[in-house]
Amino acid sequence: MTMKRLLFILAICLGGFYIQSRMAFSESHVMRWIAEYNNKAISGDSTVCDDFTDDVEVNIFAETGQGHWEVEGGKDEMCGYLRQASAAFIVLQASTNTQFDSLHIERGGFPWTTAQVKYHYKATMQADHIPTMTVDGNDTLILSKGIFSGLKIKALESRSGTSVSR
């Protein structure tokens, strides 16, 4: 193989990886991915834990009318929390409506193998015989992109407050 051909193939591969990374961290793709992740988490989909890297770092702080609660740790702690939360939604037969806004994406790790994603969300949860709860929060995610694995959460920081209406 000639040097020109080798450089041409290398340029094509780098260009393809660049385009793939640009599309993976586009606003529309990230927003769709976050919505799908949220739906899996609420519905109890057992594959939700596949959306985290093995070394994920999690820090969740939620303020409620009775105080606050926290989840800190890694994948085991996050997956345990998600199993408990989805079980509660299923038992209560709760319906949820989540709206996301103020999405901000900052790509990093040239050629864009990671991105810091910040957004605001408002989730309303309703079930028979309990008051409607609204969670208002801000999340910061570090998403990583593998060549074949798609997007995964490498870090999650969440701050939220809950209000109850009757």
Side-chain angles (χ1 to χ4, degrees):
M1 223 186 256
T2 66
M3 185 59 113
K4 279 185 176 181
R5 180 176 265 173
L6 186 60
L7 288 174
F8 179 73
I9 292 171
L10 181 62
I12 293 293
C13 289
L14 287 174
F17 190 74
Y18 171 82
I19 290 169
Q20 179 197 28
S21 296
R22 181 124 177 121
M23 288 174 29
F25 292 126
S26 70
E27 188 171 313
S28 62
H29 185 260
V30 168
M31 197 72 263
R32 186 172 51 252
W33 189 89
I34 290 169
E36 288 171 7
Y37 159 76
N38 186 61
N39 288 336
K40 286 194 291 188
I42 290 171
S43 71
D45 186 331
S46 62
T47 65
V48 72
C49 286
D50 296 340
D51 289 338
F52 298 97
T53 62
D54 290 335
D55 62 345
V56 66
E57 295 177 18
V58 177
N59 186 333
I60 300 173
F61 182 88
E63 191 73 41
T64 69
Q66 292 80 27
H68 73 276
W69 55 267
E70 299 178 60
V71 177
E72 289 184 325
K75 190 170 186 173
D76 290 341
E77 290 79 10
M78 186 63 187
C79 292
Y81 162 72
L82 289 172
R83 279 190 294 275
Q84 288 178 345
S86 66
F89 285 121
I90 292 167
V91 167
L92 292 172
Q93 296 180 341
S95 65
T96 63
N97 179 23
T98 307
Q99 297 175 335
F100 301 96
D101 59 40
S102 303
L103 180 69
H104 176 74
I105 302 169
E106 186 176 318
R107 296 171 188 87
F110 186 81
W112 301 335
T113 56
T114 62
Q116 181 182 61
V117 178
K118 295 180 179 186
Y119 58 90
H120 172 261
Y121 67 93
K122 191 172 229 173
T124 304
M125 293 162 267
Q126 297 176 310
D128 290 339
H129 310 296
I130 63 169
T132 299
M133 293 189 319
T134 301
V135 179
D136 194 340
N138 294 293
D139 285 356
T140 300
L141 308 175
I142 302 294
L143 296 179
S144 66
K145 181 189 74 62
I147 294 174
F148 302 110
S149 63
L151 297 179
K152 291 194 180 248
I153 299 171
K154 186 166 182 61
L156 166 73
E157 183 173 326
S158 182
R159 299 287 177 260
S160 65
T162 302
S163 60
V164 177
S165 59
R166 300 199 184 260

